[in-house]
Amino acid sequence: MLNKHSTIPMDKAEDWHVCGVIVQCNPQKIEKIKTALLAVPYTEVPAEDVEKGKLVAVMQSHDQHLLLEQMEQARNIDGVITVSLVYHQQDEGNDE
């Protein structure tokens, strides 16, 4: 998969970024929001609190600009109130 910021395919990338975000949302829309987040490539939702309207999402990419776009995309999902970055890690030059 290529994106407009990088001409390197994901499987050939040397850098890898992982971000953890908290998504505060309308509790009545949490299932639709979770479904929309899971549709974003390389995104997982490992934890949720339906009563409080909170989701934990982990987003990964080989391009930090793509991650910013994905976080912005999450902010624009109907029912999302805020998206807060709580963790970011970059691995460089992974030789597997």
Side-chain angles (χ1 to χ4, degrees):
M1 170 187 269
L2 298 176
N3 68 65
K4 69 182 180 181
H5 296 290
S6 176
T7 58
I8 301 169
M10 287 250 214
D11 61 342
K12 303 290 184 198
E14 291 185 15
D15 292 347
W16 196 253
H17 298 266
V18 178
C19 289
V21 298
I22 301 292
V23 180
Q24 180 73 47
C25 51
N26 179 332
Q28 289 80 27
K29 297 183 178 186
I30 199 165
E31 285 305 317
K32 288 184 180 183
I33 294 167
K34 182 178 174 181
T35 299
L37 287 170
L38 291 171
V40 176
Y42 302 101
T43 299
E44 302 171 21
V45 179
E48 62 185 76
D49 185 331
V50 177
E51 281 186 24
K52 293 182 180 178
K54 291 186 180 182
L55 297 168
V56 174
V58 177
M59 298 178 158
Q60 303 178 54
S61 179
H62 70 304
D63 185 306
Q64 63 187 354
H65 298 101
L66 181 58
L67 276 177
L68 289 172
E69 287 178 7
Q70 290 172 331
M71 285 187 274
E72 190 62 32
Q73 181 181 352
R75 278 187 191 94
N76 292 328
I77 297 170
D78 181 44
V80 170
I81 299 166
T82 62
V83 175
S84 302
L85 177 66
V86 294
Y87 177 80
H88 175 251
Q89 178 178 341
Q90 177 181 0
D91 290 326
E92 297 177 351
N94 291 332
D95 294 318
E96 293 184 35

